[in-house]
């Protein structure tokens, strides 16, 4: 079974600064995918970034980048030049196809506060 | 449609009543997933379909929960004899690829149906 741990229930950052959200996971599979989702106050679930485990290069999407450490099973999200619109819950998730199940496993989330 | 549509957005029901939650995926999306999100928690996988076939229902909490997707498009999640612990946001997501194929795990989520059981 997969597990995802987000050890920071809440993080706060000044606007325009950089913040890093932590995520560790556990899976018995060697081939899997990792995700960060954003859930703003509207409670939509928006995909922020995706990383394939077999790719060593860290994924980047504009101001969002990840630090993927496969051996440590760590997948942190870095948000540069934080903006007020980045305020949201951020969920880390892992997907593998092992054991026949095919759903994403999510962490409990980190509430990100942006201070103007 | 342009996005994943879920209805109703809000449902308040009394304990013991049955509820049906509907999901209309993005047109052409072949796989469909149901998740449940309790307050302060991340989404929890319930079940998923490839076309009309329910591939995995291991996440359904008990036999009061069932889901169907008879024509491979719209899906209904039904909760019988609701209990207060069933109160949560129920989310549907769809993907253009079959579960197990590359890209299948890039999901588009709906806005969810918030269920409150009194």
């Amino acid at each position: 079974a997969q597990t995802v741990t987000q050890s920071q229930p809440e993080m706060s950052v000044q606007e325009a600064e950089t913040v890093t959200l932590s995520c560790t996971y556990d899976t018995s599979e060697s081939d899997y995918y990792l995700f960060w989702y954003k859930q703003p106050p509207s409670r939509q679930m928006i995909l922020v970034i995706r990383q394939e485990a077999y790719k060593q290069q860290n994924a980047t999407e504009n101001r969002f980048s990840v630090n993927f450490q496969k051996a440590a099973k760590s997948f942190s999200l870095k948000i540069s030049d934080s903006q007020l619109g980045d305020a949201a819950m951020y969920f880390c998730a892992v997907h593998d196809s092992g054991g026949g199940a095919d759903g994403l496993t999510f962490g409990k989330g980190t509430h990100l506060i942006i201070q103007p | 449609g342009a996005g994943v549509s879920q209805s109703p957005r809000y449902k308040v029901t009394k304990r013991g009543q049955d509820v049906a939650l509907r999901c209309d995926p993005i047109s052409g999306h072949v796989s469909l997933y149901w998740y449940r999100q309790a307050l302060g928690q991340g989404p929890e996988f319930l079940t998923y379909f490839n076309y009309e076939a329910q591939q995995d229902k291991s996440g359904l909490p008990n036999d009061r929960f069932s889901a169907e997707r008879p024509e491979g498009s719209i899906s209904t999640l039904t909760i019988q004899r609701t209990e207060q612990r069933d109160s949560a946001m129920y989310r549907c997501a769809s993907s253009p690829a079959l579960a197990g194929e590359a890209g299948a795990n890039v999901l588009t989520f709906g806005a969810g149906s918030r269920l409150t059981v009194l």
Side-chain angles (χ1 to χ4, degrees), chain A residues 21-59:
Chain A
L21 308 183
S22 301
C23 173
T24 57
Y25 62 92
D26 193 19
T27 176
S28 57
E29 299 296 315
S30 59
D31 185 18
Y32 52 90
Y33 294 81
L34 296 160
F35 304 82
W36 278 98
Y37 278 86
K38 172 184 177 181
Q39 188 173 82
S42 66
R43 303 218 63 190
Q44 286 279 9
M45 287 288 286
I46 302 165
L47 178 64
V48 174
I49 200 163
R50 180 175 85 139
Q51 173 81 42
E52 297 170 83
Y54 67 87
K55 289 187 176 179
Q56 294 187 342
Q57 186 173 6
N58 288 325

Side-chain angles (χ1 to χ4, degrees), chain B residues 11-86:
Chain B
K11 177 69 176 179
V12 181
T13 191
K14 292 183 179 179
R15 183 165 48 95
Q17 297 294 308
D18 297 350
V19 297
L21 307 177
R22 172 187 163 120
C23 173
D24 193 352
I26 292 174
S27 179
H29 277 200
V30 295
S31 57
L32 183 148
Y33 298 76
W34 282 100
Y35 289 82
R36 177 171 70 173
Q37 186 175 11
L39 199 61
Q41 302 291 320
E44 172 193 21
F45 170 77
L46 295 177
T47 186
Y48 82 94
F49 295 81
N50 278 343
Y51 295 108
E52 73 282 0
Q54 190 171 18
Q55 300 293 121
D56 178 8
K57 51 184 180 180
S58 63
L60 295 176
N62 51 60
D63 60 8
R64 295 186 297 105
F65 288 73
S66 63
E68 62 175 10
R69 194 187 185 199
E71 298 180 0
S73 178
I74 293 170
S75 177
T76 302
L77 176 69
T78 302
I79 309 171
Q80 296 178 311
R81 305 180 303 282
T82 53
E83 301 177 5
Q84 286 184 327
R85 59 178 173 158
D86 299 334

